[in-house]
Amino acid sequence: MIKVNEIPINTSTLGDGTHSTAIDFASISNVLADDYFHITLDGSEKSLNASSSMTISSFTEIIKDACNADSGLSSKAIFTSNSNILTIVTRDSNSIAIEIDYHRDE
């Protein structure tokens, strides 16, 4: 079983006062069908299940696209992905509460 505390999350404040949070999925090594990811940003939520096995890079790209397409999430932050890292940058200098859940039933 993969636990969320095994996924490194780093937050920093950028020069313009916005906040950047990087979620590094490298510790997962690969995504299996039915792996589950859930993110909440100040009450806006998105849940995704992997439909098939895929690379971490492909999964972070799917998460990025789904979150940017969600009006509740995209009004609060911009999502980018680079290989195994999902980065969330707030749209303004207000801090936002980010909660994630990732699990795999094994």
Side-chain angles (χ1 to χ4, degrees), residues 31-82:
V31 176
L32 301 178
D34 294 326
D35 279 10
Y36 171 85
F37 175 79
H38 181 87
I39 187 165
T40 303
L41 268 67
D42 283 345
S44 296
E45 302 179 50
K46 191 68 166 176
S47 296
L48 299 163
N49 281 74
S51 58
S52 61
S53 296
M54 64 184 74
T55 65
I56 299 296
S57 179
S58 295
F59 193 58
T60 58
E61 187 73 17
I62 289 168
I63 294 169
K64 174 201 70 139
D65 291 344
C67 290
N68 283 327
D70 182 285
S71 61
L73 293 173
S74 65
S75 68
K76 297 172 185 171
I78 300 166
F79 295 78
T80 60
S81 65
N82 181 4

